[in-house]
Amino acid sequence: MAFPAPVILDKRMADWAPHQKLEDELKVAEARLAAGDKGPAAQFVRATFLHLLGRHEDAKAAYLAVLQMEPGHHEALIRFAALLRDTDFRMAAQSVYRQCMRLYPADTRAPVGLGNVLLDQGDFSGARPIYEAALALDPGCVDAHQGLAMVLMELREDAAALEHGRRGFAGRPAVTNPYRGSGEPVRVLVLNSVGGGNIPLRRSLDDTV
């Protein structure tokens, strides 16, 4: 029996991707597993759709199943680390991102992800060299410029923050942060200026209510 290849959606699409479409793709992935294809590739597809559907604990177990079969599975490491961060398991996320950095030193996503975790924790001095390491790999890495701009703003290095803000936000001005609570989230739009003069609100907004 042949199964259609599921479309792998980027995590950023989760906010607008039709829920029923994701459910249908998950059923295809699970049917593929039930038919006997239990390799890491098939397990990873299932984990991805569980993740996008917000079934976080199931997704964690599924990513772990992939990594038990293939400990160096690149995309599983990246997405598992992102899921750990999104669910507030920040020390575990750090560990997975660091492992990915060791295995795939040319991939900027791991240092950017690690920098984001450190930024979440308020470790601005720790996040700074991590973002800088990502930019050493790819000077045009937008996500690293964005993270470094926020770090430098917190460190009151306004001129440097302005420069990285221009590079990071000029082409992609909207950035979303995950909600880690169990209640109904209230969306907040925070407007910042790359020209400076912003009031840091990171410590004032609770993302775990």
Side-chain angles (χ1 to χ4, degrees), residues 98-163:
R98 291 185 191 279
Q99 180 183 359
C100 197
M101 288 170 66
R102 289 192 294 269
L103 293 173
Y104 304 100
D107 186 355
T108 59
R109 291 177 298 171
V112 167
L114 177 58
N116 291 340
V117 176
L118 295 171
L119 179 60
D120 291 341
Q121 295 175 311
D123 184 0
F124 308 122
S125 296
R128 180 178 188 165
I130 302 298
Y131 287 128
E132 290 173 342
L135 289 172
L137 292 171
D138 178 8
C141 181
V142 170
D143 292 320
H145 280 296
Q146 289 182 354
L148 188 53
M150 289 186 280
V151 163
L152 292 170
M153 186 168 61
E154 295 284 356
L155 295 175
R156 300 294 191 267
E157 297 187 28
D158 295 339
L162 173 60
E163 179 59 27

Side-chain angles (χ1 to χ4, degrees), residues 167-189:
R167 295 186 184 187
F169 293 101
R172 200 175 78 196
V175 178
T176 60
N177 289 322
Y179 172 63
R180 303 181 177 88
S182 58
E184 184 69 23
V186 176
R187 296 182 182 274
V188 177
L189 176 64

Side-chain angles (χ1 to χ4, degrees), residues 47-105:
T48 297
F49 286 110
L50 289 169
H51 190 169
L52 288 168
L53 284 164
R55 292 170 56 180
H56 293 155
E57 295 309 311
D58 290 338
K60 287 176 189 176
Y63 283 132
L64 283 172
V66 175
L67 294 169
Q68 286 172 350
M69 289 185 284
E70 188 178 331
H73 193 294
H74 193 172
E75 291 303 315
L77 286 168
I78 286 290
R79 296 189 185 207
F80 184 40
L83 178 56
L84 289 168
R85 178 201 173 202
D86 288 351
T87 52
D88 212 25
F89 288 85
R90 294 173 183 172
M91 294 306 294
Q94 282 192 48
S95 178
V96 177
Y97 276 130
R98 291 185 191 279
Q99 180 183 359
C100 197
M101 288 170 66
R102 289 192 294 269
L103 293 173
Y104 304 100

Side-chain angles (χ1 to χ4, degrees), residues 1-82:
M1 182 176 180
F3 296 97
V7 178
I8 299 299
L9 303 178
D10 186 88
K11 184 175 182 295
R12 293 186 186 125
M13 298 172 69
D15 284 342
W16 62 267
H19 184 86
Q20 188 57 52
K21 173 66 172 174
L22 295 176
E23 289 282 7
D24 291 344
E25 295 285 7
L26 176 60
K27 289 176 182 177
V28 170
E30 291 182 333
R32 181 179 172 186
L33 290 168
D37 184 356
K38 300 185 184 297
Q43 295 279 3
F44 175 70
V45 170
R46 176 175 179 268
T48 297
F49 286 110
L50 289 169
H51 190 169
L52 288 168
L53 284 164
R55 292 170 56 180
H56 293 155
E57 295 309 311
D58 290 338
K60 287 176 189 176
Y63 283 132
L64 283 172
V66 175
L67 294 169
Q68 286 172 350
M69 289 185 284
E70 188 178 331
H73 193 294
H74 193 172
E75 291 303 315
L77 286 168
I78 286 290
R79 296 189 185 207
F80 184 40

